[in-house]
Amino acid sequence: MKTLNKTTLALCLAALGGEAAAQAAAQDPGTMERIVVTANRRDQLVQDTPLAVSAFTQETLQNNQVKDLASLTALVPSLVVEPHSDSGGVHVYLRGVGSANHTELGDPAVAFYVDGIYLPRPQGATALMYDLAHVEVARGPQGTLSGRNATAGAVNLVSAAPNTTKTMGAVSVTAGDYHRIQTQGMINLPFGDNLALRVAAIKDSHDGYVDFARGSNVPPGADKYGAQDQAGARATLLWKITPALRATFIADYYEDKGAGNVYLAQEPVAGQDRWSAVIDTPGTLDQSIMTYKTKWNWAATDWLDVQYLGSWSRLKRSNASDADAGLYLGFKAENRTEWGQFDSHSNELQLRSAGAGPVQWVAGLFEFGENNRIRFDIDRSQISEAALRQDLAAGNVIFVRPTVGEYASAMSFIQGDRQLKSKAVFAQGSYDVNEQYKVTAGARYTKDHKFDRGGQNWACPNWPDNAPRGAAVLTPNQLAQLVTPGTGLINTHNIGPGGAVTVAGCGNTPGDNTADLEYGQATWLGRVEYKPARDILAFASVTTGFHSPAIGDGGATTKPEKLTSYEIGFKSDLLNRTLTLNLDAFWMKYKDKLESQVVNNTLQNFNAAGATVKGIEAEFAWRPVPAARISGNATWLRAAYDSFLSCDIDAARANGQVCGTTAPTEDVGGSVLKHAPRFATTVMGEYDFAVAGGRLTPRLQAHYETKAFIAAGAFNRDVPGHPGVKQQPAYTTLDVSLRYEPANKAYTAELFVNNATDKEVKYDAVEVCTQVGAPCQPNQQIWAAYYNQPRTLGARLSMKF
C-alpha cells in the first residue's frame, strides 16, 4: 500500500502542476527523473505504464538540441523521420514500419498527436517542439485507445499547462552557423485562483545547405534548399470553473516558409560537390496550421471522471520543388502544390474510473472528419543535346525552354473533395487480482467512410514518355509531346504556375479519381502485469491494430493493413532509483501490409502479403553519482516480408527489361523492410563540474546503426552497376555540447555541435529516371538520396523569471 500511496501522490501533483509537478515526481536530485504520461488515457508515471513508451521533458529536449520530431530520432529506439520535398511533410517510421503515402487521404502508420488531439496530415509532424510539459512516444500498435493508423506507434506532444499560483516566464535565444537564429519565449499570467493564461512563441530560421551549382537558373536572392523559416505561437487558457470542473482552451499556430528539401546525387561525377545541385526550380514553401482545441475535465463523482476533447484544424499549403534535382541536364521536372487546404475536426468523450480501487476502466466515443482539397501540378520539359551544349558553352546558366521540335508535358492532379468520416467506440478495463498481478482487456470498433468526389488526373497531352537524346524513331506519345510551330517558346502543355487546365489547352481529357470506400474494423488488447517489487514491473500483452486502406490515382483502392503484436516488457528502478532499466521484446505479424511507391510521377498503393517484425528494445538511465548522468537505448530488430509478389523495377531497368512484360515477377519473402537496421544504439553522458559558483556540464552523445535498406519497394539487393545505392552503410554520428548554469539557476548558457564528424547519412533513395520520368537511355539509372544535415554549431542562452 505504501507504493500505491506514493504513486497516487505523484499523479495528483502532476495533474495540478503540469511540467513542474512531473519534474517534482523525482525523489531527490540524486535519483532519476520520473515523468507522468497519458498513453493509457490516464495519468501514470512512465515506469508504471505497461507499454513500450519513451518520455522526455522540455529541459531534456533542449539539452539534446531537439526542436522537432526529426531531431528526436536518436533519443527514441527505432524512430526514423524521413523528409519529403513536394509535400512539406515527413514520413515517420517505428520498428521499420511507416507510410510513404503523403497524399490528400494518405495516412501515417505512426499517429501524431498534440495535447491528445490527432493530426492526420504528415505535415503536422514537422511542428516545432517548444514550451512542452513532455513528449511521449509509444511504440507498437495502439489500436484500442488511439485507434486507426497507429500500427507502428503514437507520438504525443503535451504542452505545458498554465499555473494559477504565480506569474512566471522564460526566454531563449540560439545562434549558429548558416545564419541560424532561434528565439522563443513564454509568459504565464494568473488571474486569481481559478484562471490563468500561458502564452508561448518560437521562431527558428537558417540558410540552406545545398549550393546552386554552375548552370543553375534561379532568381537573385532565392533560398537554397535546406533553408528553414519556421514559427509557432500557442495561447492556453485554464479555467477552474468549480472545484470539480475545469476547462482548457488552446489556440495553436504553426507556419513554415522555408525552401524544403531536395535529392542529392548519390554517385556524383568527378569534381561535383555532394552539397550542390543544378537547380532550375528554387524551393518554396508556404505552409500554416491553425488549430483550436478544448479539454474539459469533470470529477462527476468519487468514482467517475468525465473528459471531453474537441478540436478544429486547418492546414494550408503551397510549395514548389525541383523534382529532377538537376541530375539530368537539359531536362526539367517541376512539382508544385498550387493550393491545398486540409480541414479536420475531432470530438472525443471519455468516461474514466476515479479513485484507487481494484478496478480501473476507461470508455469513450470518438468522431473524426477530414475535408481535403488540393491541386498538385507537374511541369516537364526537355531541350535538345545541341541546345544544352550551347548553354554550357555560353555561360553558367542552362535554359530549359523548349522550342519547336523539343519536348514539353504536364500533369495536374485536382482533388476538390476528398473526405474521411470516422467514428469509433472503445473501452478498456484493468483488474488488480492482488498486490502483484493485474489483468487488462480492451476493445475498439472503428467505422470509416473515405471518398473522392470528382477528383481529376490531367495528363497534358499524355502520360510522360519523353525520348532519350539521340532517339531516331519516336513513339506516338513522344510525337504528341513535341512543341509544334505557332505555340511559341513555351508549349501550352507546360501549365505553368497557376495556369488553367482545360481540354483544349491540355490536349487530353482528365482521368477520373472518383472513389468510395467504407469499412469497419475491430481491434482488441489483452495484457497481464506482474509487480514482484516496488520498483519492478513486468508485463505481457497481445494487441491488434489496423491501418486504413488507401485511395490512389484513378480511384484505385487497397485493403486495410492489419497487425497482431505479441509483447513482453520489463521496467525497473534499481540501485535506490539511481538506475532505470527498461526492456521490451516484441513479435508483430502484419497481414496485407500497405506499401507506396512513386513511378513516373504516379503514386502506386498496394498490399504486400504480409510481414514479420520482431526485436528487443532497451532503454536505460543511470546516475552513478549525483553529478553524472549516463543514458541511452538500443534496438535489435528483424523486420522482413513473409511473402510479397513484385517486380524489381531497378534491376529490370539496369538489365534493359520492363516490369509487366519482359521482367519477371518474384516472391521477395525474406527481404528486409525499409529503415530496419539489425542493431541501433544511442549513448549519452554528461557530468556536472563545480565552476565559478555554478556548474559546467560537458555532454557527449553518440548514435550508431548497422546498415539499413532505405529505398522504396521490397527489393533491397544491389542494383546492377550501382552497388550500395539502396542502402545506408553502418555509421556513427556524434553530438557534443558544453553547458553552464549559475547556482541560482538564473540562466543557462550553452555551446553545441551537432553531427560533429560531419557524417553523411541517407534517409531515402530514388532512381531519378523512373521517379520523375527523365528521358534516360533504356538501361540508364541516376541515383539520388535525401541526406541528413551537415555539421552545425551554435550557442544558446536561456533565462527564467
Side-chain angles (χ1 to χ4, degrees):
M1 293 303 294
K2 291 182 179 180
T3 301
L4 176 62
N5 291 337
K6 288 183 178 180
T7 302
T8 304
L9 176 60
L11 296 178
C12 292
L13 287 172
L16 292 173
E19 179 181 8
Q23 295 171 351
Q27 298 302 300
D28 61 63
T31 60
M32 298 310 305
E33 184 178 59
R34 313 194 80 199
I35 304 174
V36 174
V37 297
T38 58
N40 265 338
R41 287 292 194 269
R42 59 175 64 249
D43 294 333
Q44 286 181 296
L45 292 169
V46 83
Q47 289 301 96
D48 292 336
T49 304
L51 297 172
V53 57
S54 304
F56 310 96
T57 65
Q58 181 67 63
E59 181 179 4
T60 299
L61 298 177
Q62 287 183 334
N63 291 342
N64 286 273
Q65 313 306 322
V66 173
K67 70 169 188 173
D68 54 20
L69 188 59
S71 49
L72 185 67
T73 53
L75 300 184
V76 178
S78 69
L79 174 65
V80 175
V81 178
E82 174 188 286
H84 196 271
S85 59
D86 66 16
S87 71
V90 293
H91 303 153
V92 184
Y93 292 77
L94 270 172
R95 296 177 174 175
V97 178
S99 173
N101 185 348
H102 51 269
T103 60
E104 302 73 59
L105 279 182
D107 297 296
V110 180
F112 189 77
Y113 295 81
V114 179
D115 294 314
I117 302 297
Y118 177 55
L119 294 183
R121 299 299 92 221
Q123 292 79 12
T126 64
L128 294 169
M129 296 183 182
Y130 66 101
D131 195 40
L132 300 178
H134 68 275
V135 174
E136 54 190 79
V137 182
R139 303 182 299 280
Q142 310 295 311
T144 305
L145 296 179
S146 294
R148 59 195 296 275
N149 305 325
T151 48
V155 179
N156 187 19
L157 312 187
V158 181
S159 58
N163 189 305
T164 59
T165 62
K166 62 179 179 179
T167 299
M168 57 184 176
V171 294
S172 175
V173 177
T174 301
D177 55 351
Y178 297 95
H179 295 102
R180 184 190 178 192
I181 294 291
Q182 181 195 93
T183 56
Q184 58 178 305
M186 177 278 295
I187 187 166
N188 183 89
L189 301 171
F191 303 101
D193 295 335
N194 299 319
L195 192 67
L197 175 68
R198 188 179 184 114
V199 179
I202 186 173
K203 183 172 177 58
D204 194 358
S205 63
H206 61 74
D207 293 344
Y209 309 120
V210 183
D211 292 330
F212 297 128
R214 182 176 179 179
S216 295
N217 188 1
V218 296
D223 288 334
K224 299 177 182 179
Y225 278 98
Q228 288 190 342
D229 185 5
Q230 300 169 293
R234 183 189 309 120
T236 306
L237 180 69
L238 172 63
W239 182 19
K240 299 178 181 179
I241 303 170
T242 71
L245 178 64
R246 64 171 59 195
T248 303
F249 305 91
I250 302 175
D252 203 339
Y253 177 77
Y254 166 72
E255 70 175 23
D256 190 344
K257 297 182 179 295
N261 299 286
V262 70
Y263 286 112
L264 299 174
Q266 281 204 56
E267 303 167 310
V269 298
Q272 180 181 356
D273 181 11
R274 170 88 71 200
W275 290 94
S276 68
V278 180
I279 299 298
D280 49 25
T281 300
T284 60
L285 177 62
D286 186 359
Q287 176 172 281
S288 64
I289 305 174
M290 186 73 227
T291 306
Y292 300 97
K293 297 171 280 190
T294 185
K295 179 179 179 180
W296 293 71
N297 294 91
W298 178 36
T301 69
D302 290 340
W303 56 269
L304 176 64
D305 286 337
V306 180
Q307 178 172 271
Y308 167 76
L309 294 169
S311 74
W312 180 88
S313 181
R314 170 166 289 175
L315 187 157
K316 300 181 72 173
R317 184 181 88 243
S318 63
N319 64 290
S321 62
D322 193 322
D324 63 280
L327 296 174
Y328 193 97
L329 297 182
F331 170 75
K332 179 176 181 177
E334 177 177 294
N335 291 1
R336 296 187 309 275
T337 300
E338 297 284 3
W339 46 261
Q341 181 171 300
F342 310 85
D343 294 341
S344 64
H345 71 272
S346 65
N347 295 281
E348 183 167 349
L349 179 66
Q350 298 176 15
L351 305 178
R352 300 182 299 187
S353 59
V359 177
Q360 295 181 332
W361 55 269
V362 58
L365 300 172
F366 176 74
E367 184 269 337
F368 176 80
E370 279 191 274
N371 189 342
N372 298 335
R373 297 171 290 280
I374 190 172
R375 173 178 164 179
F376 177 71
D377 286 0
I378 300 172
D379 274 335
R380 298 164 18 116
S381 52
Q382 177 190 352
I383 58 177
S384 67
E385 184 75 24
L388 173 61
R389 290 178 180 176
Q390 184 178 26
D391 288 339
L392 291 173
N396 294 328
V397 176
I398 299 172
F399 289 95
V400 184
R401 293 182 178 177
T403 185
V404 173
E406 296 175 338
Y407 293 85
S409 63
M411 285 179 281
S412 186
F413 303 82
I414 302 176
Q415 314 298 146
D417 186 12
R418 275 197 168 182
Q419 293 193 43
L420 166 70
K421 298 179 180 180
S422 179
K423 299 177 182 179
V425 57
F426 62 90
Q428 184 166 303
S430 299
Y431 173 63
D432 292 327
V433 179
N434 52 42
E435 290 189 355
Q436 291 183 315
Y437 286 95
K438 177 187 288 188
V439 293
T440 300
R444 185 184 189 105
Y445 183 77
T446 301
K447 184 72 173 179
D448 281 3
H449 184 197
K450 183 182 288 189
F451 57 87
D452 183 309
R453 292 173 177 165
Q456 295 180 331
N457 288 350
W458 293 82
C460 310
N462 46 50
W463 291 112
D465 195 15
N466 284 11
R469 292 195 184 102
V473 180
L474 302 182
T475 68
N477 277 354
Q478 291 164 354
L479 286 170
Q481 289 178 241
L482 293 177
V483 179
T484 56
T487 59
L489 291 179
I490 299 297
N491 193 314
T492 53
H493 297 148
N494 278 105
I495 299 171
V501 188
T502 64
V503 172
C506 178
N508 210 338
T509 56
D512 186 12
N513 272 350
T514 299
D516 197 298
L517 190 60
E518 290 189 72
Y519 53 92
Q521 183 66 44
T523 52
W524 52 268
L525 170 146
R527 183 169 59 224
V528 176
E529 300 172 49
Y530 173 56
K531 201 170 181 65
R534 182 188 69 167
D535 293 326
I536 296 177
L537 171 66
F539 60 91
S541 65
V542 181
T543 312
T544 64
F546 84 102
H547 187 287
S548 63
I551 291 178
D553 296 331
T557 60
T558 69
K559 295 183 288 186
E561 172 185 282
K562 300 177 184 179
L563 162 69
T564 302
S565 176
Y566 306 88
E567 204 150 339
I568 299 174
F570 170 84
K571 293 189 172 186
S572 62
D573 288 322
L574 307 173
L575 304 180
N576 197 27
R577 292 189 172 176
T578 61
L579 172 64
T580 295
L581 176 63
N582 297 340
L583 301 172
D584 194 81
F586 52 88
W587 181 35
M588 305 191 299
K589 294 288 291 184
Y590 283 85
K591 179 182 178 182
D592 296 323
K593 189 178 183 305
L594 280 169
E595 300 291 334
S596 299
Q597 185 172 2
V598 176
V599 179
N600 285 354
N601 306 117
T602 302
L603 181 66
Q604 300 177 4
N605 303 303
F606 45 90
N607 294 98
T612 299
V613 179
K614 54 187 176 181
I616 300 174
E617 296 169 341
E619 293 182 282
F620 71 92
W622 183 34
R623 300 193 75 156
V625 295
R629 291 169 295 281
I630 303 172
S631 62
N633 62 70
T635 303
W636 294 264
L637 190 62
R638 301 290 186 272
Y641 295 98
D642 298 330
S643 178
F644 188 0
L645 291 175
S646 186
C647 175
D648 190 340
I649 295 173
D650 304 311
R653 183 175 183 86
N655 295 323
Q657 298 173 310
V658 178
C659 284
T661 55
T662 57
T665 296
E666 305 174 53
D667 188 337
V668 293
S671 293
V672 178
L673 271 62
K674 185 178 181 180
H675 295 311
R678 287 290 183 94
F679 176 72
T681 184
T682 299
V683 178
M684 185 277 293
E686 58 182 21
Y687 191 91
D688 298 330
F689 293 93
V691 174
R695 63 179 182 180
L696 187 68
T697 307
R699 175 182 163 276
L700 182 69
Q701 178 177 289
H703 177 75
Y704 169 78
E705 286 189 17
T706 57
K707 70 177 182 180
F709 171 60
I710 58 167
F715 292 85
N716 47 37
R717 59 199 179 201
D718 267 339
V719 179
H722 303 271
V725 292
K726 289 186 174 184
Q727 293 183 348
Q728 168 56 48
Y731 71 92
T732 301
T733 57
L734 188 66
D735 299 334
V736 297
S737 67
L738 184 65
R739 189 171 67 250
Y740 176 76
E741 188 176 64
N744 61 4
K745 299 184 179 181
Y747 66 90
T748 299
E750 182 178 23
L751 301 173
F752 60 87
V753 182
N754 294 329
N755 191 13
T757 59
D758 205 22
K759 182 66 178 178
E760 293 179 352
V761 180
K762 295 183 290 186
Y763 285 129
D764 185 29
V766 299
E767 197 281 292
V768 172
C769 297
T770 55
Q771 175 88 356
V772 300
C776 302
Q777 296 296 327
N779 61 350
Q780 181 183 3
Q781 292 186 319
I782 302 173
W783 282 91
Y786 286 128
Y787 285 84
N788 64 328
Q789 293 182 357
R791 176 175 50 234
T792 57
L793 53 90
R796 175 173 64 97
L797 178 65
S798 58
M799 302 182 209
K800 296 180 180 180
F801 56 88

